[in-house]
Amino acid sequence: MRSDNVTKGAERAPNRSLFYALGYTQSDLEKPLIAVVSAHSDIVPGHMNLDKLAEAVKAGIEAAGGTPFMVPAIGVCDGIAMGHVGMKYSLASRELICDSVETMFMAHQFDGMVLLPNCDKIVPGMVMAAVRMNVPAVVCSGGPMLAGTYSGAEVSLSKMFEAVGAYKAGLIDNAKLEECTQNCCPSCGSCSGMYTANSMNCLCEAIGIALPGNGTVPAVYSRRLQLGRMSGAAIMEMVRRDIKARNIINERSIRNALTCDMALGCSTNTVLHLLAIAHEAGIDLDLKVFNEISAGTPNLCHLAPAGPTHMPDLYNAGGIAAVESELAKKNLLDLDCMTVTGHTVGENIRNAVNRNHKAIRPIEDPYSQTGGLQILWGNLAPNGCIVKRSAVAPEMQSHTGPARVFDSEEDAISAIYAGKIVPGDVVVIRYEGPKGGPGMREMLNPTSALAGMGLDKTVALITDGRFSGASRGASIGHVSPEAASGGPIGLVREGDRIAIDIPNASVTLLVDNAELAARKAAYVQPEPKITSGWLSRYARMVSSADEGAVLH
């Protein structure tokens, strides 16, 4: 075992002495040493319960014959970081998390690890570390939040951001805004819609690195603690059988995850994270594969913000296993892929039942015959961009309008709040990409403001930044190359017409090539927005969004 490097032999007596200083016994050190990597903190609602979950995981490890050690990981709350400089740190923190998990694991020579994330960048960061090191690993997330209530309806965080837009437009008063503020997020857990956190936790289950239920068992249910105990037992079986992360996460299982992604209508951020996970696993994953799978995968779920259902509804309908069972009816999954249960996907879903056809449409009656995400290409995005088409109104699937150009999120949101954006406009927000931001901020405030003002069915938004899974409407992100790398989005001028055609996967700047060439010749690159601290280093090293915004 790897832990022999710190526990066995006379040469390792100094190492053992430090384990004894921790209170461990000689018999403890004769068992496999398992890291319980917890992102618990008091600042992230999705992580506030991870201390309890960690104890359940540790109990499961001990009962199965291992010795657990809790080690820490950081985590940013995207909702609290939204709309200010803090959001620049969110995506970039994914790489810090990956590096820190690798550091703690390799420095202390653990034999396996159970990963306890819950929110947006923590989940992929931890999974990236597992496949980078190729060690036994199980993901056990903290679980989704319960849905809140507002004006007699179930809601989640996306409604809160939209309420701000409605307030700015004079559609609701301060009392209604405060009602939403007090009631939209009623419990611990990852916010209750199909936002990035829940998307990635569901996809961990679909890809096989987490036990069934990981994506959907609510955070406040005791079933979540049971899942922790079972995850502790599962890692011990993986260590005994020498099943490593890359035995689970490979080209076949990534295609399974992509298929579930399209059926669920997940966050556009899953594109960035699956690309990054594939990169760490040594798998060549091209954006064209996303459209290939989307074209053949029916969209079965419309969770918030695409529709009125929330994560507890998906759980009660049968969870990810029920979604997979629908997909299996049309042979859309590789059922022979191994999972951390020790069984294949097919074995895991053998008894799965879709118990609520409102939460999970039968595959014979989907919301659409194509998946929730679509990659677009064109002269505005030669290397691609992304839209969550399942959250786009039918009348905005094709749209042409004048560009309203802003060089930062702050400038755009000021114009939106001031009523300067009108039906038909195409809002362009640039210099918010991985390099230009730096950090590729989420544009949830602008998209929510447009939705709250009732403009989401008449105004499009295009950015080299990205979107929260809580965004809806014709929100097109990840434009590559980004403006800070000389991409054409940096050449757009106020009033230029932009044509969006989501069904035909295109986004076109309606300016002739000669004019674009003249603009490029006269183009002057702006100075970097941040020139100190580790974000400056990140900006120098980060790749384009179409490559997953990984570090080179």
Side-chain angles (χ1 to χ4, degrees), residues 5 65 136 184 206 269 362 369 374 397 465 502 512 515:
N5 292 327
C184 72
N269 283 316
Q369 293 296 335
Q374 176 83 312
Q397 295 284 330
I502 295 173
D512 65 52
E515 172 61 19

Side-chain angles (χ1 to χ4, degrees), residues 144 154 194 202 205 213 215-218 221 263-264 300-303 309-327 329 349 351-363 367:
E154 283 195 348
M194 188 52 80
C202 289
E205 191 175 332
T216 59
V217 175
Y221 284 15
L264 289 164
L300 306 181
C301 301
H302 268 191
L303 288 95
T309 52
H310 295 87
M311 295 305 295
D313 299 307
L314 182 59
Y315 170 67
N316 290 326
I320 302 308
V323 174
E324 290 175 315
S325 70
E326 292 290 346
L327 294 169
K329 292 177 182 178
I349 67 172
N351 298 317
V353 176
N354 179 359
R355 297 191 291 267
N356 182 349
H357 290 181
K358 292 181 180 179
I360 306 171
R361 286 276 188 93
I363 200 160
Y367 284 103

Side-chain angles (χ1 to χ4, degrees), residues 152-360:
E154 283 195 348
V155 298
S156 51
L157 186 64
S158 56
K159 181 59 69 175
M160 183 69 252
F161 280 90
E162 291 175 15
V164 175
Y167 175 76
K168 292 286 187 178
L171 301 177
I172 62 172
D173 60 16
N174 188 68
K176 292 299 290 182
L177 180 66
E178 187 61 20
E179 178 192 342
C180 191
T181 305
Q182 293 283 350
N183 295 295
C184 72
C185 295
S187 73
C188 65
S190 47
C191 300
S192 194
M194 188 52 80
Y195 313 143
T196 306
N198 290 324
S199 294
M200 289 307 302
N201 286 325
C202 289
L203 295 190
C204 282
E205 191 175 332
I207 210 169
I209 198 69
L211 294 178
N214 178 74
T216 59
V217 175
V220 297
Y221 284 15
S222 296
R223 177 67 177 169
R224 179 60 56 177
L225 298 178
Q226 295 170 0
L227 192 67
R229 286 177 174 265
M230 291 187 288
S231 296
I235 190 60
M236 291 306 301
E237 187 64 17
M238 292 181 71
V239 169
R240 291 190 184 100
R241 294 173 59 183
D242 195 31
I243 299 174
K244 299 182 175 70
R246 293 194 192 183
N247 298 126
I248 304 293
I249 298 179
N250 49 48
E251 186 173 357
R252 294 163 56 209
S253 66
I254 286 177
R255 291 183 71 92
N256 275 353
L258 283 172
T259 301
C260 288
D261 192 336
M262 300 306 167
L264 289 164
C266 289
S267 165
T268 52
N269 283 316
T270 59
V271 177
L272 285 173
H273 300 325
L274 288 173
L275 286 169
I277 290 167
H279 171 77
E280 294 292 352
I283 297 166
D284 184 21
L285 181 61
D286 187 272
L287 283 180
K288 293 177 182 177
V289 175
F290 288 79
N291 273 7
E292 171 202 327
I293 292 177
S294 182
T297 305
N299 178 227
L300 306 181
C301 301
H302 268 191
L303 288 95
T309 52
H310 295 87
M311 295 305 295
D313 299 307
L314 182 59
Y315 170 67
N316 290 326
I320 302 308
V323 174
E324 290 175 315
S325 70
E326 292 290 346
L327 294 169
K329 292 177 182 178
K330 292 199 173 181
N331 300 315
L332 295 176
L333 294 176
D334 186 335
L335 300 180
D336 293 327
C337 286
M338 180 55 64
T339 73
V340 294
T341 64
H343 302 291
T344 64
V345 172
E347 291 169 329
N348 287 346
I349 67 172
R350 181 171 295 155
N351 298 317
V353 176
N354 179 359
R355 297 191 291 267
N356 182 349
H357 290 181
K358 292 181 180 179
I360 306 171

Side-chain angles (χ1 to χ4, degrees), residues 438-485:
M440 204 179 183
R441 287 192 289 182
E442 290 183 346
M443 302 291 115
L444 179 55
N445 277 341
T447 58
S448 297
L450 292 171
M453 292 175 169
L455 294 172
D456 56 300
K457 296 181 179 180
T458 57
V459 172
L461 193 153
I462 296 176
T463 181
D464 54 8
R466 60 194 178 90
F467 297 108
S468 164
S471 292
R472 62 185 174 95
S475 304
I476 299 168
H478 307 194
V479 171
S480 301
E482 62 176 290
S485 295

Side-chain angles (χ1 to χ4, degrees), residues 2-3 33-35 69 71 104-106 108-112:
R2 178 181 281 102
S3 60
L33 307 187
I34 308 298
F69 297 78
V71 297
M104 294 298 286
F105 190 93
M106 296 304 294
H108 302 103
Q109 293 291 283
F110 293 109
D111 298 303

